[in-house]
PDB file of all heavy atoms in Angstrom:
ATOM      1  N   THR A 448    -273.435  71.265  91.015  1.00 87.00           N
ATOM      2  CA  THR A 448    -273.501  70.253  92.059  1.00 87.00           C
ATOM      3  C   THR A 448    -274.593  69.248  91.720  1.00 87.00           C
ATOM      4  O   THR A 448    -275.310  69.384  90.728  1.00 87.00           O
ATOM      5  CB  THR A 448    -273.753  70.903  93.436  1.00 87.00           C
ATOM      6  OG1 THR A 448    -273.430  69.973  94.462  1.00 87.00           O
ATOM      7  CG2 THR A 448    -275.199  71.355  93.589  1.00 87.00           C
ATOM      8  N   THR A 449    -274.720  68.223  92.552  1.00 85.00           N
ATOM      9  CA  THR A 449    -275.638  67.117  92.294  1.00 85.00           C
ATOM     10  C   THR A 449    -277.087  67.571  92.414  1.00 85.00           C
ATOM     11  O   THR A 449    -277.520  68.056  93.470  1.00 85.00           O
ATOM     12  CB  THR A 449    -275.367  65.977  93.280  1.00 85.00           C
ATOM     13  OG1 THR A 449    -273.996  65.582  93.147  1.00 85.00           O
ATOM     14  CG2 THR A 449    -276.267  64.799  92.999  1.00 85.00           C
ATOM     15  N   ALA A 450    -277.843  67.379  91.345  1.00 88.00           N
ATOM     16  CA  ALA A 450    -279.220  67.876  91.294  1.00 88.00           C
ATOM     17  C   ALA A 450    -280.135  67.153  92.274  1.00 88.00           C
ATOM     18  O   ALA A 450    -281.048  67.748  92.848  1.00 88.00           O
ATOM     19  CB  ALA A 450    -279.764  67.730  89.875  1.00 88.00           C
ATOM     20  N   GLY A 451    -279.911  65.862  92.468  1.00 87.00           N
ATOM     21  CA  GLY A 451    -280.848  65.055  93.235  1.00 87.00           C
ATOM     22  C   GLY A 451    -281.096  65.536  94.652  1.00 87.00           C
ATOM     23  O   GLY A 451    -282.158  65.269  95.232  1.00 87.00           O
ATOM     24  N   ARG A 452    -280.124  66.255  95.228  1.00 90.00           N
ATOM     25  CA  ARG A 452    -280.307  66.732  96.601  1.00 90.00           C
ATOM     26  C   ARG A 452    -281.417  67.773  96.702  1.00 90.00           C
ATOM     27  O   ARG A 452    -281.933  68.031  97.785  1.00 90.00           O
ATOM     28  CB  ARG A 452    -278.994  67.311  97.143  1.00 90.00           C
ATOM     29  CG  ARG A 452    -277.859  66.313  97.237  1.00 90.00           C
ATOM     30  CD  ARG A 452    -276.803  66.774  98.226  1.00 90.00           C
ATOM     31  NE  ARG A 452    -276.351  68.117  97.970  1.00 90.00           N
ATOM     32  CZ  ARG A 452    -275.352  68.443  97.144  1.00 90.00           C
ATOM     33  NH1 ARG A 452    -274.731  67.491  96.469  1.00 90.00           N
ATOM     34  NH2 ARG A 452    -274.980  69.691  96.961  1.00 90.00           N
ATOM     35  N   MET A 453    -281.790  68.383  95.589  1.00 95.00           N
ATOM     36  CA  MET A 453    -282.851  69.393  95.585  1.00 95.00           C
ATOM     37  C   MET A 453    -284.190  68.846  95.098  1.00 95.00           C
ATOM     38  O   MET A 453    -285.170  69.592  94.949  1.00 95.00           O
ATOM     39  CB  MET A 453    -282.436  70.590  94.724  1.00 95.00           C
ATOM     40  CG  MET A 453    -281.718  71.713  95.471  1.00 95.00           C
ATOM     41  SD  MET A 453    -280.252  71.260  96.398  1.00 95.00           S
ATOM     42  CE  MET A 453    -279.038  71.024  95.121  1.00 95.00           C
ATOM     43  N   ASP A 454    -284.274  67.543  94.858  1.00 94.00           N
ATOM     44  CA  ASP A 454    -285.492  66.965  94.275  1.00 94.00           C
ATOM     45  C   ASP A 454    -286.736  67.233  95.115  1.00 94.00           C
ATOM     46  O   ASP A 454    -287.822  67.498  94.581  1.00 94.00           O
ATOM     47  CB  ASP A 454    -285.333  65.455  94.090  1.00 94.00           C
ATOM     48  CG  ASP A 454    -284.504  65.096  92.871  1.00 94.00           C
ATOM     49  OD1 ASP A 454    -283.937  66.022  92.245  1.00 94.00           O
ATOM     50  OD2 ASP A 454    -284.403  63.901  92.550  1.00 94.00           O
ATOM     51  N   SER A 455    -286.608  67.156  96.432  1.00 93.00           N
ATOM     52  CA  SER A 455    -287.790  67.274  97.294  1.00 93.00           C
ATOM     53  C   SER A 455    -288.415  68.668  97.263  1.00 93.00           C
ATOM     54  O   SER A 455    -289.565  68.844  97.682  1.00 93.00           O
ATOM     55  CB  SER A 455    -287.425  66.904  98.735  1.00 93.00           C
ATOM     56  OG  SER A 455    -286.444  67.782  99.253  1.00 93.00           O
ATOM     57  N   TYR A 456    -287.692  69.659  96.762  1.00 96.00           N
ATOM     58  CA  TYR A 456    -288.212  71.031  96.725  1.00 96.00           C
ATOM     59  C   TYR A 456    -288.949  71.358  95.415  1.00 96.00           C
ATOM     60  O   TYR A 456    -289.690  72.338  95.345  1.00 96.00           O
ATOM     61  CB  TYR A 456    -287.067  72.037  96.868  1.00 96.00           C
ATOM     62  CG  TYR A 456    -286.286  71.944  98.156  1.00 96.00           C
ATOM     63  CD1 TYR A 456    -285.056  71.302  98.198  1.00 96.00           C
ATOM     64  CD2 TYR A 456    -286.766  72.515  99.331  1.00 96.00           C
ATOM     65  CE1 TYR A 456    -284.320  71.227  99.374  1.00 96.00           C
ATOM     66  CE2 TYR A 456    -286.042  72.454 100.513  1.00 96.00           C
ATOM     67  CZ  TYR A 456    -284.823  71.798 100.516  1.00 96.00           C
ATOM     68  OH  TYR A 456    -284.094  71.727 101.690  1.00 96.00           O
ATOM     69  N   VAL A 457    -288.709  70.566  94.365  1.00 96.00           N
ATOM     70  CA  VAL A 457    -289.068  71.006  93.020  1.00 96.00           C
ATOM     71  C   VAL A 457    -290.572  71.193  92.849  1.00 96.00           C
ATOM     72  O   VAL A 457    -291.026  72.235  92.344  1.00 96.00           O
ATOM     73  CB  VAL A 457    -288.509  70.029  91.969  1.00 96.00           C
ATOM     74  CG1 VAL A 457    -289.038  70.379  90.574  1.00 96.00           C
ATOM     75  CG2 VAL A 457    -286.985  70.074  91.972  1.00 96.00           C
ATOM     76  N   GLU A 458    -291.366  70.205  93.235  1.00 96.00           N
ATOM     77  CA  GLU A 458    -292.803  70.311  92.991  1.00 96.00           C
ATOM     78  C   GLU A 458    -293.377  71.539  93.689  1.00 96.00           C
ATOM     79  O   GLU A 458    -294.151  72.302  93.096  1.00 96.00           O
ATOM     80  CB  GLU A 458    -293.508  69.037  93.483  1.00 96.00           C
ATOM     81  CG  GLU A 458    -294.888  68.809  92.867  1.00 96.00           C
ATOM     82  CD  GLU A 458    -295.962  69.747  93.381  1.00 96.00           C
ATOM     83  OE1 GLU A 458    -295.896  70.128  94.567  1.00 96.00           O
ATOM     84  OE2 GLU A 458    -296.868  70.123  92.604  1.00 96.00           O
ATOM     85  N   ARG A 459    -292.985  71.754  94.933  1.00 96.00           N
ATOM     86  CA  ARG A 459    -293.518  72.891  95.686  1.00 96.00           C
ATOM     87  C   ARG A 459    -293.044  74.219  95.106  1.00 96.00           C
ATOM     88  O   ARG A 459    -293.819  75.172  94.995  1.00 96.00           O
ATOM     89  CB  ARG A 459    -293.079  72.779  97.144  1.00 96.00           C
ATOM     90  CG  ARG A 459    -293.752  73.791  98.039  1.00 96.00           C
ATOM     91  CD  ARG A 459    -293.330  73.603  99.458  1.00 96.00           C
ATOM     92  NE  ARG A 459    -294.045  74.522 100.322  1.00 96.00           N
ATOM     93  CZ  ARG A 459    -293.682  74.803 101.557  1.00 96.00           C
ATOM     94  NH1 ARG A 459    -292.620  74.227 102.075  1.00 96.00           N
ATOM     95  NH2 ARG A 459    -294.372  75.648 102.281  1.00 96.00           N
ATOM     96  N   PHE A 460    -291.782  74.287  94.738  1.00 97.00           N
ATOM     97  CA  PHE A 460    -291.262  75.536  94.178  1.00 97.00           C
ATOM     98  C   PHE A 460    -291.911  75.843  92.835  1.00 97.00           C
ATOM     99  O   PHE A 460    -292.266  76.996  92.550  1.00 97.00           O
ATOM    100  CB  PHE A 460    -289.741  75.442  94.020  1.00 97.00           C
ATOM    101  CG  PHE A 460    -288.958  75.672  95.284  1.00 97.00           C
ATOM    102  CD1 PHE A 460    -289.530  75.460  96.534  1.00 97.00           C
ATOM    103  CD2 PHE A 460    -287.637  76.114  95.238  1.00 97.00           C
ATOM    104  CE1 PHE A 460    -288.806  75.669  97.706  1.00 97.00           C
ATOM    105  CE2 PHE A 460    -286.910  76.336  96.388  1.00 97.00           C
ATOM    106  CZ  PHE A 460    -287.490  76.105  97.625  1.00 97.00           C
ATOM    107  N   GLN A 461    -292.069  74.829  91.971  1.00 97.00           N
ATOM    108  CA  GLN A 461    -292.692  75.069  90.665  1.00 97.00           C
ATOM    109  C   GLN A 461    -294.159  75.450  90.818  1.00 97.00           C
ATOM    110  O   GLN A 461    -294.664  76.300  90.077  1.00 97.00           O
ATOM    111  CB  GLN A 461    -292.540  73.839  89.777  1.00 97.00           C
ATOM    112  CG  GLN A 461    -291.112  73.611  89.305  1.00 97.00           C
ATOM    113  CD  GLN A 461    -291.003  72.564  88.210  1.00 97.00           C
ATOM    114  OE1 GLN A 461    -291.932  71.798  87.975  1.00 97.00           O
ATOM    115  NE2 GLN A 461    -289.855  72.539  87.540  1.00 97.00           N
ATOM    116  N   ALA A 462    -294.853  74.848  91.773  1.00 97.00           N
ATOM    117  CA  ALA A 462    -296.254  75.215  92.012  1.00 97.00           C
ATOM    118  C   ALA A 462    -296.382  76.666  92.439  1.00 97.00           C
ATOM    119  O   ALA A 462    -297.404  77.320  92.181  1.00 97.00           O
ATOM    120  CB  ALA A 462    -296.860  74.302  93.081  1.00 97.00           C
ATOM    121  N   ALA A 463    -295.310  77.189  93.066  1.00 97.00           N
ATOM    122  CA  ALA A 463    -295.297  78.592  93.487  1.00 97.00           C
ATOM    123  C   ALA A 463    -294.699  79.502  92.419  1.00 97.00           C
ATOM    124  O   ALA A 463    -294.491  80.694  92.671  1.00 97.00           O
ATOM    125  CB  ALA A 463    -294.516  78.732  94.796  1.00 97.00           C
ATOM    126  N   GLY A 464    -294.409  78.953  91.239  1.00 97.00           N
ATOM    127  CA  GLY A 464    -293.927  79.771  90.126  1.00 97.00           C
ATOM    128  C   GLY A 464    -292.426  79.857  89.994  1.00 97.00           C
ATOM    129  O   GLY A 464    -291.926  80.592  89.144  1.00 97.00           O
ATOM    130  N   GLY A 465    -291.667  79.119  90.824  1.00 97.00           N
ATOM    131  CA  GLY A 465    -290.205  79.181  90.770  1.00 97.00           C
ATOM    132  C   GLY A 465    -289.594  77.916  90.220  1.00 97.00           C
ATOM    133  O   GLY A 465    -290.269  76.907  89.993  1.00 97.00           O
ATOM    134  N   SER A 466    -288.289  77.962  89.978  1.00 97.00           N
ATOM    135  CA  SER A 466    -287.517  76.783  89.554  1.00 97.00           C
ATOM    136  C   SER A 466    -288.095  76.107  88.314  1.00 97.00           C
ATOM    137  O   SER A 466    -288.049  74.879  88.186  1.00 97.00           O
ATOM    138  CB  SER A 466    -287.418  75.763  90.703  1.00 97.00           C
ATOM    139  OG  SER A 466    -286.697  76.278  91.780  1.00 97.00           O
ATOM    140  N   LEU A 467    -288.627  76.900  87.377  1.00 98.00           N
ATOM    141  CA  LEU A 467    -289.205  76.300  86.175  1.00 98.00           C
ATOM    142  C   LEU A 467    -288.137  75.847  85.193  1.00 98.00           C
ATOM    143  O   LEU A 467    -288.393  74.979  84.352  1.00 98.00           O
ATOM    144  CB  LEU A 467    -290.169  77.284  85.516  1.00 98.00           C
ATOM    145  CG  LEU A 467    -291.462  77.508  86.316  1.00 98.00           C
ATOM    146  CD1 LEU A 467    -292.288  78.616  85.702  1.00 98.00           C
ATOM    147  CD2 LEU A 467    -292.271  76.212  86.398  1.00 98.00           C
ATOM    148  N   VAL A 468    -286.948  76.414  85.289  1.00 98.00           N
ATOM    149  CA  VAL A 468    -285.805  75.910  84.532  1.00 98.00           C
ATOM    150  C   VAL A 468    -284.671  75.694  85.533  1.00 98.00           C
ATOM    151  O   VAL A 468    -284.238  76.633  86.199  1.00 98.00           O
ATOM    152  CB  VAL A 468    -285.358  76.877  83.421  1.00 98.00           C
ATOM    153  CG1 VAL A 468    -284.125  76.320  82.703  1.00 98.00           C
ATOM    154  CG2 VAL A 468    -286.489  77.105  82.429  1.00 98.00           C
ATOM    155  N   MET A 469    -284.221  74.465  85.659  1.00 97.00           N
ATOM    156  CA  MET A 469    -283.176  74.097  86.615  1.00 97.00           C
ATOM    157  C   MET A 469    -281.955  73.600  85.854  1.00 97.00           C
ATOM    158  O   MET A 469    -282.081  72.948  84.814  1.00 97.00           O
ATOM    159  CB  MET A 469    -283.688  73.003  87.554  1.00 97.00           C
ATOM    160  CG  MET A 469    -284.928  73.393  88.344  1.00 97.00           C
ATOM    161  SD  MET A 469    -285.787  71.948  89.037  1.00 97.00           S
ATOM    162  CE  MET A 469    -286.549  71.249  87.538  1.00 97.00           C
ATOM    163  N   LEU A 470    -280.783  73.886  86.377  1.00 96.00           N
ATOM    164  CA  LEU A 470    -279.526  73.528  85.730  1.00 96.00           C
ATOM    165  C   LEU A 470    -278.597  72.931  86.785  1.00 96.00           C
ATOM    166  O   LEU A 470    -278.328  73.556  87.806  1.00 96.00           O
ATOM    167  CB  LEU A 470    -278.894  74.778  85.114  1.00 96.00           C
ATOM    168  CG  LEU A 470    -277.514  74.645  84.471  1.00 96.00           C
ATOM    169  CD1 LEU A 470    -277.576  73.764  83.223  1.00 96.00           C
ATOM    170  CD2 LEU A 470    -276.973  76.032  84.096  1.00 96.00           C
ATOM    171  N   ALA A 471    -278.131  71.694  86.551  1.00 92.00           N
ATOM    172  CA  ALA A 471    -277.238  71.035  87.510  1.00 92.00           C
ATOM    173  C   ALA A 471    -276.641  69.818  86.816  1.00 92.00           C
ATOM    174  O   ALA A 471    -276.652  69.717  85.594  1.00 92.00           O
ATOM    175  CB  ALA A 471    -278.000  70.651  88.781  1.00 92.00           C
ATOM    176  N   LYS A 472    -276.128  68.877  87.606  1.00 87.00           N
ATOM    177  CA  LYS A 472    -275.572  67.651  87.027  1.00 87.00           C
ATOM    178  C   LYS A 472    -276.284  66.438  87.614  1.00 87.00           C
ATOM    179  O   LYS A 472    -276.799  66.466  88.727  1.00 87.00           O
ATOM    180  CB  LYS A 472    -274.071  67.545  87.293  1.00 87.00           C
ATOM    181  CG  LYS A 472    -273.710  67.356  88.759  1.00 87.00           C
ATOM    182  CD  LYS A 472    -272.224  67.130  88.949  1.00 87.00           C
ATOM    183  CE  LYS A 472    -271.893  66.922  90.427  1.00 87.00           C
ATOM    184  NZ  LYS A 472    -270.476  66.618  90.661  1.00 87.00           N
ATOM    185  N   GLY A 473    -276.314  65.364  86.822  1.00 81.00           N
ATOM    186  CA  GLY A 473    -276.848  64.110  87.313  1.00 81.00           C
ATOM    187  C   GLY A 473    -278.318  63.922  87.018  1.00 81.00           C
ATOM    188  O   GLY A 473    -279.018  64.796  86.512  1.00 81.00           O
ATOM    189  N   ASN A 474    -278.802  62.732  87.361  1.00 81.00           N
ATOM    190  CA  ASN A 474    -280.189  62.372  87.084  1.00 81.00           C
ATOM    191  C   ASN A 474    -281.107  62.836  88.201  1.00 81.00           C
ATOM    192  O   ASN A 474    -280.677  63.137  89.308  1.00 81.00           O
ATOM    193  CB  ASN A 474    -280.309  60.862  86.878  1.00 81.00           C
ATOM    194  CG  ASN A 474    -279.580  60.058  87.941  1.00 81.00           C
ATOM    195  OD1 ASN A 474    -278.384  60.236  88.145  1.00 81.00           O
ATOM    196  ND2 ASN A 474    -280.298  59.178  88.608  1.00 81.00           N
ATOM    197  N   ARG A 475    -282.424  62.894  87.902  1.00 87.00           N
ATOM    198  CA  ARG A 475    -283.435  63.341  88.854  1.00 87.00           C
ATOM    199  C   ARG A 475    -284.425  62.209  89.118  1.00 87.00           C
ATOM    200  O   ARG A 475    -284.548  61.275  88.345  1.00 87.00           O
ATOM    201  CB  ARG A 475    -284.195  64.569  88.329  1.00 87.00           C
ATOM    202  CG  ARG A 475    -283.353  65.749  87.875  1.00 87.00           C
ATOM    203  CD  ARG A 475    -282.480  66.341  88.958  1.00 87.00           C
ATOM    204  NE  ARG A 475    -283.206  66.975  90.052  1.00 87.00           N
ATOM    205  CZ  ARG A 475    -283.490  68.279  90.135  1.00 87.00           C
ATOM    206  NH1 ARG A 475    -283.154  69.080  89.139  1.00 87.00           N
ATOM    207  NH2 ARG A 475    -284.098  68.780  91.202  1.00 87.00           N
ATOM    208  N   SER A 476    -285.173  62.347  90.194  1.00 87.00           N
ATOM    209  CA  SER A 476    -286.169  61.346  90.550  1.00 87.00           C
ATOM    210  C   SER A 476    -287.458  61.561  89.746  1.00 87.00           C
ATOM    211  O   SER A 476    -287.655  62.598  89.105  1.00 87.00           O
ATOM    212  CB  SER A 476    -286.474  61.433  92.043  1.00 87.00           C
ATOM    213  OG  SER A 476    -287.037  62.696  92.352  1.00 87.00           O
ATOM    214  N   LYS A 477    -288.344  60.573  89.841  1.00 91.00           N
ATOM    215  CA  LYS A 477    -289.609  60.649  89.119  1.00 91.00           C
ATOM    216  C   LYS A 477    -290.451  61.839  89.572  1.00 91.00           C
ATOM    217  O   LYS A 477    -291.205  62.420  88.772  1.00 91.00           O
ATOM    218  CB  LYS A 477    -290.401  59.349  89.302  1.00 91.00           C
ATOM    219  CG  LYS A 477    -291.689  59.279  88.476  1.00 91.00           C
ATOM    220  CD  LYS A 477    -292.362  57.927  88.635  1.00 91.00           C
ATOM    221  CE  LYS A 477    -293.606  57.833  87.750  1.00 91.00           C
ATOM    222  NZ  LYS A 477    -294.643  58.823  88.150  1.00 91.00           N
ATOM    223  N   GLN A 478    -290.321  62.243  90.845  1.00 93.00           N
ATOM    224  CA  GLN A 478    -291.121  63.373  91.312  1.00 93.00           C
ATOM    225  C   GLN A 478    -290.751  64.660  90.583  1.00 93.00           C
ATOM    226  O   GLN A 478    -291.604  65.529  90.381  1.00 93.00           O
ATOM    227  CB  GLN A 478    -290.967  63.557  92.826  1.00 93.00           C
ATOM    228  CG  GLN A 478    -289.566  63.879  93.303  1.00 93.00           C
ATOM    229  CD  GLN A 478    -289.483  64.008  94.815  1.00 93.00           C
ATOM    230  OE1 GLN A 478    -290.365  64.569  95.445  1.00 93.00           O
ATOM    231  NE2 GLN A 478    -288.421  63.483  95.402  1.00 93.00           N
ATOM    232  N   VAL A 479    -289.514  64.778  90.137  1.00 95.00           N
ATOM    233  CA  VAL A 479    -289.107  65.952  89.362  1.00 95.00           C
ATOM    234  C   VAL A 479    -289.718  65.891  87.963  1.00 95.00           C
ATOM    235  O   VAL A 479    -290.230  66.892  87.446  1.00 95.00           O
ATOM    236  CB  VAL A 479    -287.575  66.062  89.296  1.00 95.00           C
ATOM    237  CG1 VAL A 479    -287.147  67.173  88.335  1.00 95.00           C
ATOM    238  CG2 VAL A 479    -287.006  66.320  90.688  1.00 95.00           C
ATOM    239  N   THR A 480    -289.662  64.715  87.338  1.00 95.00           N
ATOM    240  CA  THR A 480    -290.277  64.555  86.016  1.00 95.00           C
ATOM    241  C   THR A 480    -291.765  64.867  86.073  1.00 95.00           C
ATOM    242  O   THR A 480    -292.311  65.565  85.203  1.00 95.00           O
ATOM    243  CB  THR A 480    -290.053  63.120  85.512  1.00 95.00           C
ATOM    244  OG1 THR A 480    -288.665  62.830  85.531  1.00 95.00           O
ATOM    245  CG2 THR A 480    -290.582  62.957  84.097  1.00 95.00           C
TER     246      THR A 480
END
Side-chain angles (χ1 to χ4, degrees):
T448 197
T449 303
R452 297 201 308 272
M453 269 55 75
D454 282 7
S455 62
Y456 299 101
V457 172
E458 200 287 327
R459 189 178 184 196
F460 280 24
Q461 289 191 345
S466 295
L467 290 173
V468 178
M469 301 162 286
L470 176 67
K472 67 175 181 177
N474 47 304
R475 307 300 294 265
S476 63
K477 185 176 183 296
Q478 62 182 320
V479 172
T480 305

